[in-house]
Amino acid sequence: MPRIDYASLAVPGIQRLQPYQPGKPVADLERELGIREAVKLASNENPLGPSPRAVVALQAACVGVHIYPDGGGNALRAALAARHGVTPAQITLGNGSNEILELVARVWLQPGRGAVFSQHAFAVYPLVVQAVGATAQVAPATAADAPQPYAHDLAAMLAMVDATTQLVFIANPNNPTGTWLTAEALTEFLQALPPHILVVMDEAYAEYVEATEYPDTTQWLEAYPNLIVTRTFSKIYGLAGLRLGYSVSSSALAELLNRARQPFNVNHLAQVAGLAALEDHAHIAASQAMNRQGLLQLAEGLEARGLRYIPSVGNFLTFDLAQEPEPVYQALLRQGVIVRPVANYGLPGFLRVSVGTTQENDRFFQALDQVLAA
Ligand SMILES: *Cc1c(COP(=O)(O)O)cnc(C)c1O
């Protein structure tokens, strides 16, 4: 057989692609170190676990997995439409909201077209843009001493828009910074943006945000038909392992996304669990309360140690270690605590820690103290 360089035959977008780096799984760390009871505060998962109602529904649904899922996801789409006061035709289900981000890129981007997003924005935006050979138009973030540091700067994002721009990605709040945008700031941006440019409003952490000026942009679709609002069941709903997300948009945009997706992109168990979790208001309220407390605990603990953090409205805090973070990250792993380095987000001195239970947050600080004292 002749030796063929298959990598050189891959399409250019894929050749340049660096794969997404997920948080380290607990099982991997425990196996590598021969330890038990490691704590993962690395992927912004819900420390309370899934909705108990979702678990019951899942158990009952297991016996039905020999049947293809409902390819239209009709029961879940109807429930989500009712939740947001839109029609089911405006809901698109995804295998995680990650899939929606990818679908949007496949439907509207190609070589020669650009997508604007912010420096330090969610890592999936550059991936989906590059994968289809389009151009990333990265706007500088707000300054380190701004009221919200390292945040989306909407004026800078608007300034990046040119004749090639077809898409804007906005994470509100953003991961890994936890920074957020007000209704007023977003309205001003949307009014100034040429209406042929689509805006993906990624609201993965919306259910955690308590600020009164934080908008629910699923209610803005009539005023701004270029909006695609994405939400997920991976965060507050505690269903990250099932992969379920969705978008709310005009039915015309949803119809285009629907053309690009796989016929059965969302599996049966995810649909059943999502439907149950959506109605589990007690679980959502408990998760919000735990997060409110946990954010405070983490913020106070970091302050007490003289560590500067980026103020966050999500379920995580990103903090400045004021030293090379990789050795600290590795040493925390040896203590059985998994956090997330964010150098790949252009935040080389920082680590991100997800809000855990009170005990898990304590465990994080105990480990951090040991590591920093060493
Ligand atoms: C976690 C996250 C998502 C959700 O990803 P899923 O694919 O739904 O699990 C989307 N956007 C941001 C900013 C996130 O942090």
Side-chain angles (χ1 to χ4, degrees), residues 150-168:
Y150 310 103
H152 288 27
D153 177 342
L154 290 175
M157 290 175 72
L158 202 56
M160 288 304 297
V161 171
D162 64 19
T164 69
T165 306
Q166 185 54 63
L167 209 60
V168 177

Side-chain angles (χ1 to χ4, degrees), residues 120-135:
H120 316 306
F122 186 43
V124 168
Y125 311 151
L127 290 183
V128 298
V129 171
Q130 281 178 36
V132 297
T135 305

Side-chain angles (χ1 to χ4, degrees), residues 20 43-44 94-101 121-125 170-176 202-205 230-235 239-241 243-246 315-316 345 352:
Y20 180 82
S43 300
N44 304 341
N95 195 272
S97 55
N98 198 136
E99 187 189 20
I100 307 278
L101 302 175
F122 186 43
V124 168
Y125 311 151
I170 295 176
N172 193 29
N174 183 43
N175 167 21
D202 179 346
E203 298 182 348
Y205 302 94
T230 62
R231 299 281 183 101
T232 182
F233 282 87
S234 298
K235 305 288 159 59
L239 300 178
R243 313 304 303 126
L244 179 62
Y246 63 97
N315 64 347
F316 53 87
Y345 285 91
R352 190 191 71 195

Side-chain angles (χ1 to χ4, degrees), residues 7-343:
S8 72
L9 299 173
V11 296
I14 300 297
Q15 286 193 31
R16 290 182 290 112
L17 211 57
Q18 297 286 330
Y20 180 82
Q21 290 178 0
K24 193 177 185 71
V26 161
D28 285 13
L29 182 68
E30 291 181 344
R31 183 168 24 76
E32 284 167 22
L33 297 181
I35 60 168
R36 297 178 60 172
E37 292 177 19
V39 170
K40 184 185 180 207
L41 300 173
S43 300
N44 304 341
E45 293 143 343
N46 188 335
L48 271 184
S51 145
R53 287 171 64 164
V55 174
V56 170
L58 276 171
Q59 283 163 340
C62 282
V63 294
V65 295
H66 59 302
I67 307 292
Y68 276 99
D70 173 2
N74 289 307
L76 180 55
R77 278 173 51 238
L80 288 168
R83 163 66 55 94
H84 293 293
V86 298
T87 65
Q90 294 178 262
I91 305 289
T92 305
L93 299 182
N95 195 272
S97 55
N98 198 136
E99 187 189 20
I100 307 278
L101 302 175
E102 202 175 313
L103 290 176
V104 170
R106 280 175 46 214
V107 172
W108 282 286
L109 295 180
Q110 65 174 6
R113 293 191 187 180
V116 169
F117 53 87
S118 176
Q119 186 184 15
H120 316 306
F122 186 43
V124 168
Y125 311 151
L127 290 183
V128 298
V129 171
Q130 281 178 36
V132 297
T135 305
Q137 302 179 288
V138 184
T142 61
D145 59 356
Q148 287 204 63
Y150 310 103
H152 288 27
D153 177 342
L154 290 175
M157 290 175 72
L158 202 56
M160 288 304 297
V161 171
D162 64 19
T164 69
T165 306
Q166 185 54 63
L167 209 60
V168 177
F169 288 101
I170 295 176
N172 193 29
N174 183 43
N175 167 21
T177 58
T179 50
W180 63 287
L181 298 159
T182 63
E184 193 183 355
L186 281 170
T187 305
E188 194 184 327
F189 175 82
L190 290 170
Q191 282 174 356
L193 191 73
H196 72 276
I197 298 176
L198 293 152
V199 178
V200 176
M201 199 71 73
D202 179 346
E203 298 182 348
Y205 302 94
E207 300 84 357
Y208 285 114
V209 185
E210 295 179 326
T212 50
E213 291 156 74
Y214 177 76
D216 174 359
T217 61
T218 63
Q219 305 306 302
W220 290 13
L221 298 173
E222 279 184 31
Y224 303 105
N226 55 337
L227 269 182
I228 301 174
V229 184
T230 62
R231 299 281 183 101
T232 182
F233 282 87
S234 298
K235 305 288 159 59
I236 207 163
Y237 293 103
L239 300 178
L242 286 173
R243 313 304 303 126
L244 179 62
Y246 63 97
S247 64
V248 191
S249 68
S250 74
S251 54
L253 299 188
E255 196 272 324
L256 288 160
L257 293 172
N258 194 51
R259 290 185 203 179
R261 72 176 176 88
Q262 286 181 44
F264 302 104
N265 62 329
V266 175
N267 72 74
H268 178 55
L269 297 180
Q271 292 186 33
V272 166
L275 199 52
L278 195 61
E279 303 306 331
D280 195 343
H281 302 290
H283 178 258
I284 297 165
S287 303
Q288 287 165 332
M290 170 168 280
N291 194 61
R292 192 180 307 130
Q293 266 185 357
L295 265 183
L296 214 58
Q297 185 188 356
L298 289 177
E300 287 174 358
L302 291 168
E303 251 159 56
R305 288 159 178 83
L307 293 169
R308 201 172 57 105
Y309 60 86
I310 306 173
S312 167
V313 295
N315 64 347
F316 53 87
L317 265 186
T318 293
F319 62 100
D320 189 351
L321 261 178
Q323 61 175 287
E324 182 57 43
E326 188 61 25
V328 175
Y329 166 69
Q330 294 293 342
L332 285 171
L333 287 181
R334 290 191 291 275
Q335 301 277 337
V337 174
I338 310 170
V339 296
R340 193 72 162 267
V342 285

